[in-house]
Amino acid sequence: MAGLGLIAAALAVGLGALGAGIGNGLIVGRTVEGIARQPELKGLLQTTMFIGVALVEALPIIAVVIAFIVMNK
């Protein structure tokens, strides 16, 4: 059973990182597109982007916590 816990932990961390990478790519790409369309909104768009990236980065942190919980059971 310990082996299954390690596999579950690895999947949680790996999929969390994959999801965060895809999410960050979409957020930054759309922000660059928005800045290209309306350069005068650069500051507002960057601020919103940083908040979005921070929220997306919470996912892998939560996945690591879940992985540690699964490994300790």
Side-chain angles (χ1 to χ4, degrees), residues 5-39:
L6 291 175
I7 292 172
L11 280 174
V13 173
L15 292 176
L18 179 67
I22 292 170
N24 283 337
L26 290 173
I27 290 171
V28 173
R30 299 290 166 90
T31 301
V32 170
E33 182 181 328
I35 292 172
R37 289 176 186 253
Q38 295 185 339

Side-chain angles (χ1 to χ4, degrees), residues 1-8 70-71 73:
M1 276 313 235
L4 292 178
L6 291 175
I7 292 172
V70 167
M71 285 176 35
K73 286 192 175 187

Side-chain angles (χ1 to χ4, degrees), residues 28-70:
V28 173
R30 299 290 166 90
T31 301
V32 170
E33 182 181 328
I35 292 172
R37 289 176 186 253
Q38 295 185 339
E40 67 274 4
L41 294 178
K42 178 182 178 184
L44 179 65
L45 290 172
Q46 279 184 338
T47 302
T48 306
M49 177 194 71
F50 288 135
I51 293 170
V53 167
L55 291 173
V56 168
E57 285 299 322
L59 177 70
I61 294 169
I62 293 169
V64 168
V65 170
I66 291 172
F68 282 137
I69 291 171
V70 167

